[in-house]
Amino acid sequence: PLGGDTDRKRRNSWSLPLSCRLVFAVCVYVANIVVFFTFLFPLLRGAAQWILFASFIASLVVTFFAALVVTLLDPIDPYVLKDPADSASDSECLHCRYCDSDVQVGSKHCWECNKCVTNFDHHCPWLNTCIGSRNYPYYYLAIVAFLTMVGTFLIAAIVPLAELTTHYWMRPMILGEDGERRASPTIAGLVVVIILDGIVWTLDLTLVAFHTFLCYMHLTTYEYLTGKTTRPRPTA
């Protein structure tokens, strides 16, 4: 909530106060980029190095721009911004007493952002904004692209880990005594990043699967969780 201010509406993700989870999400995104280029990329060899490089670059760029659009767009119901005298009297609408305005059927009032959102899906704490019809396509693209980005990161960690462990345990003579000492912290580092990003990837996979299901069923998160559907009546 906006610090208890009942009149102030959150315009987008960057309206103060910032969400701690938004800051954490940005840190995870940046950390993946830093670790990939400083730790994982130098460990890769051959064609795999450049294939994974291209996949990682493409997915991180798409994630960045899709998430940027989501966080900058204001998904507020446009009726809320209209002068009450200009409201279309012949269109089907509802009235929100909190916004003190007519709103479109399907709009819901978000308590976190203190505004009505067109075709409200949910409030995303990780992006610190509401998801509605205006920014939902970019939201879906962002979570799919991020899934690809983290998946590429994991493959880039698993490939050298498999090679190093094979040499370390099965053919230690290839590494030599000095090579074994240098391989141990590298293997430990790879295991740590795989575990951490494996958790992130699993959570994002669940999110992508859930929203893919919702798209297939033509439902919003709000409708799925509450069982309530509020759609405009078909015109005669």
Side-chain angles (χ1 to χ4, degrees), residues 32-54:
N32 270 269
I33 296 172
V34 172
V35 173
F36 181 87
F37 286 109
T38 61
F39 180 45
L40 300 181
F41 184 71
L43 296 176
L44 298 169
R45 297 289 182 270
Q49 184 181 43
W50 298 108
I51 292 172
L52 292 172
F53 173 81

Side-chain angles (χ1 to χ4, degrees), residues 121-141:
D121 189 86
H122 70 287
H123 179 87
C124 179
W126 301 104
L127 295 177
N128 197 33
T129 190
C130 289
I131 307 301
S133 59
R134 193 178 181 201
N135 58 2
Y136 185 86
Y138 302 101
Y139 169 78
Y140 184 81
L141 178 61

Side-chain angles (χ1 to χ4, degrees), residues 73 87 105 112 140 158 162 197 204:
L73 277 179
S87 297
V105 175
E112 292 290 331
Y140 184 81
I158 291 170
D197 255 35
D204 193 38

Side-chain angles (χ1 to χ4, degrees), residues 38-108:
T38 61
F39 180 45
L40 300 181
F41 184 71
L43 296 176
L44 298 169
R45 297 289 182 270
Q49 184 181 43
W50 298 108
I51 292 172
L52 292 172
F53 173 81
S55 175
F56 189 78
I57 287 291
S59 56
L60 81 84
V61 169
V62 174
T63 301
F64 176 81
F65 283 106
L68 185 65
V69 172
V70 173
T71 57
L72 291 179
L73 277 179
D74 185 357
I76 191 171
D77 188 316
Y79 282 23
V80 177
L81 303 176
K82 287 183 178 180
D83 188 306
D86 297 334
S87 297
S89 58
D90 58 342
S91 62
E92 186 177 5
C93 59
L94 303 172
H95 186 82
C96 176
R97 64 190 180 96
Y98 304 105
C99 293
D100 192 23
S101 170
D102 288 342
V103 296
Q104 299 177 62
V105 175
S107 292
K108 295 292 179 293

Side-chain angles (χ1 to χ4, degrees), residues 6 9 11 18 30 40 46 49 54 57 99 110 117 124 131 133-136 140 148 167 174 178 187 190 199 203 207:
T6 57
K9 293 176 172 58
R11 184 176 179 183
L18 292 178
V30 173
L40 300 181
Q49 184 181 43
I57 287 291
C99 293
C110 174
V117 175
C124 179
I131 307 301
S133 59
R134 193 178 181 201
N135 58 2
Y136 185 86
Y140 184 81
T148 305
H167 293 320
I174 296 178
D178 185 56
I187 291 173
L190 288 169
I199 295 171
L203 293 174
L207 187 64

Side-chain angles (χ1 to χ4, degrees), residues 205-226:
L205 175 63
T206 304
L207 187 64
V208 169
F210 176 64
H211 279 280
T212 301
F213 167 76
L214 292 179
C215 291
Y216 176 76
M217 298 298 295
H218 301 289
L219 292 171
T220 65
T221 301
Y222 177 86
E223 290 169 341
Y224 177 81
L225 294 177
T226 63

